[in-house]
């Protein structure tokens, strides 16, 4: 048989860069080695019990049939009401489209605006999926360097990157992988600059509530209408409410953009699971309980962060600033590169082989020389990982084998 003729759109995409590390870790595990996995991109908490109960209630009510492609009315209304109460945001329920996770929200938004050869602005480091979406849409990915501003995107950087071909900017704050948060005043300036040049902004708010004070929780859905008209917010229940497997998210965008996304979605996933939409609508209505659950998780992430970051900085060759949000430490290991380690991937490989600690290499995020370490895992795992890494790196260089 001839090899399968994969479409160009898909052939041009890259498989997830985290896959390689996961495979190497799995191979070691198969040999009976106890591997500490610090690659995880999902909460280690279970979904709050009251949300599970709402899903059971939805099932008991017989919510097992198709809903509208935009999602149930009650889902759209509950999102609008939640954002109105929490962020003083003012948008209509019809500007909300339910999707199968933040990922589908991002795909819906990008695929309904990008034409071939449009320029898609992507700040570096980026979440691995962003350039792949651009590639799939046959847009031209244009990267914005942000290291000069400590990986916090600025309006100035955006302004300097816009050309006549720029159509869309993708932003993720709080950020995966850097843990950086864009202050809301800067976010507003970014959208203003884009709106002036007729450039749209897709803001991935999948880690929305995971900002550690004094960093602020800010949603671009609360921008005034004339700016919000240029914005599509991609929201998700996955991380915030520890619901990664439920596959539910949403977009908040102007009516026309929303209608285009509904059209696209009506020919693909149709809508996310009906009783899951119901559970999420109820969770949004019960905002106090939902925000309390988020607060409990955030407190634990913060406790781990407070232990982990100083400990990582005690490892020779590791430089790590304090994350302002999300649940990742982004470690600069460029000081270690030279004869022994040519790239950060070599450092990651050494950590796995010798200390049995698996982390994600920064290259997949457009940041060669960095490692992403997830603290969505137990304190015990984190402490064991740090001990293991100290034992291999805090030796004289001749001792490192
Ligand atoms: C930055 C970012 N955006 C979006 C997603 C998608 O999450 P989901 O599709 O589960 O909502 C992820 C998941 O890792 C993420 O890290």
């Amino acid at each position: 048989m001839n090899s399968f003729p994969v479409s160009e759109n898909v052939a041009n995409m890259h498989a997830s860069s985290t896959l390689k590390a996961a495979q190497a870790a799995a191979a070691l595990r198969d040999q009976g080695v106890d591997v500490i996995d610090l690659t995880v991109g999902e909460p280690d908490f279970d979904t709050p019990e009251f949300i599970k109960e709402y899903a059971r209630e939805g099932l008991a009510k017989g919510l097992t049939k198709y809903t509208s492609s935009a999602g149930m009315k009650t889902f759209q209304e509950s999102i609008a009401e939640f954002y109105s109460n929490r962020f003083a945001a003012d948008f209509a329920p019809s500007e909300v489209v339910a999707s199968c996770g933040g990922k589908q929200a991002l795909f819906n938004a990008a695929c309904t605006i990008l034409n071939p050869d449009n320029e898609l602005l992507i700040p570096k480091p980026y979440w691995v999926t962003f350039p792949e979406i651009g590639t799939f849409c046959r847009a031209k990915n244009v990267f914005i360097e942000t290291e000069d501003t400590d990986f916090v995107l600025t309006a100035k950087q955006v302004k300097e990157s816009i050309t006549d071909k720029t159509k869309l900017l993708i932003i993720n704050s709080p950020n995966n992988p850097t843990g950086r948060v864009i202050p809301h005043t800067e976010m507003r300036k970014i959208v203003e600059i884009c709106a002036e040049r007729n450039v749209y902004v897709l803001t991935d708010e999948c880690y929305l509530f995971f900002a550690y004070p004094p960093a602020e929780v800010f949603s671009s859905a609360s921008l005034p209408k004339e700016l919000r008209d240029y914005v599509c917010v991609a929201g998700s229940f996955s991380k915030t409410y520890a619901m990664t497997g439920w596959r539910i998210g949403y977009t908040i965008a102007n009516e026309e953009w929303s209608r285009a996304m509904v059209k696209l979605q009506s020919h693909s996933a149709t809508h996310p699971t009906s009783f899951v939409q119901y559970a999420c609508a109820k969770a949004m209505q019960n905002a106090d309980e939902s925000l309390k659950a988020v607060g409990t998780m955030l407190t634990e992430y913060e406790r781990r962060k407070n232990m982990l970051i100083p400990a990582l900085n005690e490892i020779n060759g590791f430089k790590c600033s304090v994350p302002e949000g999300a649940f990742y430490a982004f470690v600069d290991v460029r000081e270690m590169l030279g004869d022994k380690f040519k790239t950060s991937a070599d450092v990651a490989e050494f950590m796995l082989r010798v200390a049995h600690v698996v982390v994600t290499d920064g290259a997949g995020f457009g940041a060669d020389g960095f490692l992403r370490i997830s603290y969505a895992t137990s304190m015990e795992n984190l402490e064991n990982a740090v001990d293991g890494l100290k034992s291999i790196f805090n030796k004289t260089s001749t001792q490192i084998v």
Side-chain angles (χ1 to χ4, degrees):
M1 195 184 129
N2 290 335
S3 61
F4 180 74
V6 178
S7 72
E8 284 173 21
N9 277 5
V10 172
N12 289 336
M13 295 170 92
H14 299 93
S16 170
S17 61
T18 52
L19 216 66
K20 221 169 120 196
Q23 280 166 349
L28 264 186
R29 263 196 212 102
D30 287 347
Q31 295 165 29
V33 177
D34 216 358
V35 174
I36 304 177
D37 187 353
L38 304 183
T39 65
V40 271
E42 64 180 344
D44 54 319
F45 302 102
D46 195 4
T47 303
E49 190 52 39
F50 72 99
I51 300 183
K52 289 187 188 174
E53 189 49 43
Y54 289 144
R56 285 190 282 268
E57 194 180 293
L59 275 172
K61 281 175 176 282
L63 297 173
T64 56
K65 301 287 197 280
Y66 288 135
T67 73
S68 144
S69 290
M72 285 174 180
K73 212 157 183 263
T74 178
F75 180 87
Q76 296 172 295
E77 285 168 353
S78 305
I79 296 280
E81 196 186 326
F82 178 86
Y83 275 76
S84 165
N85 292 337
R86 177 61 182 78
F87 297 107
D90 180 22
F91 55 86
S94 52
E95 292 175 284
V96 177
V97 178
S99 61
C100 303
K103 215 177 243 180
Q104 194 189 24
L106 292 164
F107 253 92
N108 283 347
C111 292
T112 48
I113 191 169
L114 290 172
N115 287 311
D117 302 326
N118 285 167
E119 289 181 0
L120 168 63
L121 292 181
I122 306 176
K124 268 182 165 184
Y126 45 75
W127 183 48
V128 287
T129 293
F130 294 162
E132 303 307 330
I133 298 177
T135 300
F136 181 79
C137 294
R138 300 197 181 206
K140 185 175 169 219
N141 295 327
V142 175
F143 298 102
I144 307 179
E145 297 292 343
T146 62
E147 185 162 6
D148 283 355
T149 50
D150 200 17
F151 297 138
V152 181
L153 182 70
T154 65
K156 184 169 174 279
Q157 289 162 342
V158 172
K159 191 172 183 181
E160 287 166 0
S161 307
I162 292 178
T163 72
D164 291 345
K165 289 188 169 171
T166 310
K167 191 70 169 285
L168 184 69
L169 161 70
I170 298 196
I171 297 178
N172 171 224
S173 174
N175 186 272
N176 173 11
T178 63
R180 289 278 154 263
V181 174
I182 302 174
H184 89 260
T185 44
E186 197 63 30
M187 187 70 98
R188 187 183 168 121
K189 278 191 214 153
I190 290 170
V191 178
E192 279 169 355
I193 298 267
C194 286
E196 266 168 32
R197 300 286 304 270
N198 214 23
V199 170
Y200 288 78
V201 184
L202 176 52
T203 65
D204 178 347
E205 297 186 356
C206 142
Y207 295 93
L208 177 64
F209 285 105
F210 292 163
Y212 308 105
E216 333 149 83
V217 174
F218 172 73
S219 172
S220 294
S222 64
L223 289 170
K225 175 147 172 54
E226 66 276 14
L227 292 179
R228 199 168 46 71
D229 273 346
Y230 282 89
V231 171
C232 176
V233 170
S236 174
F237 283 81
S238 288
K239 320 278 174 170
T240 320
Y241 304 102
M243 295 175 69
T244 45
W246 296 58
R247 308 310 304 136
I248 185 147
Y250 49 90
T251 46
I252 302 165
N254 70 53
E255 301 271 359
E256 278 178 88
W257 201 346
S258 295
R259 269 200 299 279
M261 290 191 279
V262 173
K263 185 170 160 189
L264 174 66
Q265 184 161 284
S266 72
H267 293 296
S268 54
T270 309
H271 61 75
T273 307
S274 41
F275 55 87
V276 169
Q277 289 185 51
Y278 173 83
C280 290
K282 294 285 283 188
M284 291 294 86
Q285 288 160 21
N286 192 351
D288 287 349
E289 198 68 27
S290 295
L291 291 174
K292 198 171 118 201
V294 177
T296 306
M297 291 188 261
L298 192 66
T299 302
E300 177 56 19
Y301 287 134
E302 188 155 32
R303 197 172 75 88
R304 296 171 189 175
K305 172 186 71 97
N306 290 346
M307 181 287 290
L308 182 66
I309 308 304
L312 289 175
N313 280 313
E314 283 167 13
I315 296 170
N316 288 348
F318 277 32
K319 233 167 49 194
C320 182
S321 52
V322 179
E324 300 165 287
F327 42 63
Y328 306 103
F330 200 53
V331 185
D332 183 349
V333 293
R334 286 175 296 189
E335 210 175 81
M336 298 172 93
L337 304 185
D339 289 344
K340 180 162 175 54
F341 304 117
K342 299 263 181 296
T343 63
S344 46
D346 295 341
V347 179
E349 189 277 329
F350 179 74
M351 284 161 62
L352 175 60
R353 184 164 45 84
V354 185
H356 306 148
V357 173
V358 53
V359 300
T360 312
D361 175 35
F365 305 107
D368 198 1
F370 287 77
L371 301 173
R372 189 194 74 173
I373 296 184
S374 165
Y375 47 92
T377 189
S378 69
M379 195 70 132
E380 189 190 352
N381 271 348
L382 294 171
E383 282 168 350
N384 288 340
V386 166
D387 288 348
L389 295 178
K390 280 185 179 168
S391 77
I392 63 169
F393 288 125
N394 289 5
K395 303 174 175 176
T396 60
S397 57
T398 48
Q399 284 176 294
I400 298 179
V401 285

